[in-house]
């Protein structure tokens, strides 16, 4: 039987893959079941938070997996269960997006550092589907609010979103995945508008603007 795979992370030596009640390890061309997770827990999000620990997230909670002894334990990262996206940034901070509950940022001990929600910040939408890092900024793709560019140092947020009638605005509302390549380009996979290539610039071009609009 073909097992479903939901997530993966490559740590430089091997690739870890999250599946249905299992975590797999791919090394030297071989795929093996590394360990099992608690019953009814599908590893839909997976990050490596240190040399010996994987953090697994799903619709029904978060678990830590010890790489050395394959044991699974409760996670200290927050109490909200429904995880929609996770990432570890270059400074070791752990970002977890909860479905319809925005984003919380933790240190490696589980202490909350920051919270981003629609009611306490400029986050455009509380449904965050993906997270990525570009330079010093965090990119958060939302379901209906475009891409939020978050500055972790001051908490400011710039939003890339579609504006009706503005042809130079961001062409999509809902973003499922974000990838930054080795050249600094941003690739966004949208839910209904295909693959989008993004280059950040201080210059905007406007054309075919209707009478009365302020973006001409």
């Amino acid at each position: 039987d073909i097992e479903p795979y939901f997530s993966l992370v490559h740590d430089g030596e091997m690739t870890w893959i999250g599946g249905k009640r299992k975590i797999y390890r791919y090394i030297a061309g071989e795929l093996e079941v590394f360990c099992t997770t608690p019953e009814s827990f599908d590893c839909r999000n997976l990050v490596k938070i240190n040399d010996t620990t994987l953090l697994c997230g799903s619709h029904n909670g978060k678990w830590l997996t010890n790489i050395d002894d394959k044991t699974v334990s409760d996670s200290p990262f927050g109490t909200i269960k429904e995880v929609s996206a996770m990432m570890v940034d270059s400074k070791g901070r752990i970002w977890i997006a909860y479905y319809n509950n925005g984003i919380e940022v933790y240190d490696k001990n589980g202490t909350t550092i920051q919270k981003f929600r629609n009611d306490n910040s400029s986050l455009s939408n509380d449904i965050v589907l993906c997270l990525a890092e570009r330079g010093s900024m965090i990119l958060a793709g939302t379901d209906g609010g475009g891409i939020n560019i978050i500055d972790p140092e001051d908490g400011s947020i710039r939003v890339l979103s579609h504006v009706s009638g503005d042809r130079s605005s961001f062409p999509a509302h809902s973003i499922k995945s974000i990838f930054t390549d080795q050249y600094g380009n941003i690739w966004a996979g949208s839910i209904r508008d295909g693959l989008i290539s993004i280059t950040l610039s201080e210059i905007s071009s406007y054309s075919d603007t209707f009478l009365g609009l302020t973006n001409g």
Side-chain angles (χ1 to χ4, degrees), residues 63-74:
W63 293 88
L64 297 177
T65 299
N66 187 292
I67 295 174
D68 290 338
D69 59 18
K70 301 184 181 182
T71 57
V72 178
S73 59
D74 287 332

Side-chain angles (χ1 to χ4, degrees), residues 155-213:
S156 62
I157 298 175
R158 175 187 172 193
V159 181
L160 297 179
S161 60
H162 180 69
V163 179
S164 181
D166 182 359
R167 294 182 60 187
S168 66
S169 68
F170 192 65
H173 292 288
S174 299
I175 302 299
K176 186 66 174 68
S177 59
I178 300 175
F179 174 72
T180 57
D181 65 22
Q182 66 268 37
Y183 303 108
N185 300 312
I186 304 170
W187 300 88
S190 70
I191 292 180
R192 290 175 293 274
D193 298 283
L195 178 65
I196 302 164
S197 174
I198 305 167
T199 301
L200 298 183
S201 172
E202 297 301 322
I203 299 173
S204 297
S205 300
Y206 302 98
S207 63
D208 297 333
T209 300
F210 297 105
L211 183 64
L213 294 182

Side-chain angles (χ1 to χ4, degrees), residues 54-98:
L54 296 170
L55 174 62
C56 312
S58 189
H59 298 315
N60 55 351
K62 304 173 290 292
W63 293 88
L64 297 177
T65 299
N66 187 292
I67 295 174
D68 290 338
D69 59 18
K70 301 184 181 182
T71 57
V72 178
S73 59
D74 287 332
S75 157
F77 303 105
T79 59
I80 304 174
K81 286 190 173 183
E82 193 165 1
V83 176
S84 55
M86 298 191 306
M87 67 160 284
V88 180
D89 68 18
S90 57
K91 293 189 175 182
R93 295 170 294 206
I94 298 163
W95 295 67
I96 302 180
Y98 299 103

Side-chain angles (χ1 to χ4, degrees), residues 93 95 103 105 114-117 120-124 134 136-140 147-160:
R93 295 170 294 206
W95 295 67
I103 304 167
V105 188
Q114 293 171 300
K115 293 183 179 181
F116 297 96
R117 287 175 52 90
N120 73 350
S121 71
S122 299
L123 193 72
S124 64
R134 183 186 187 274
S136 62
M137 300 297 178
I138 303 299
L139 308 178
I147 294 177
N148 289 242
I149 305 174
I150 304 171
D151 186 339
E153 306 309 319
D154 61 13
S156 62
I157 298 175
R158 175 187 172 193
V159 181
L160 297 179

Side-chain angles (χ1 to χ4, degrees), residues 23 48 79 83 85 99 107 112 133 154 185 210:
I23 296 175
K48 191 175 182 181
T79 59
V83 176
Y99 188 81
D107 65 17
T112 301
E133 185 175 23
D154 61 13
N185 300 312
F210 297 105

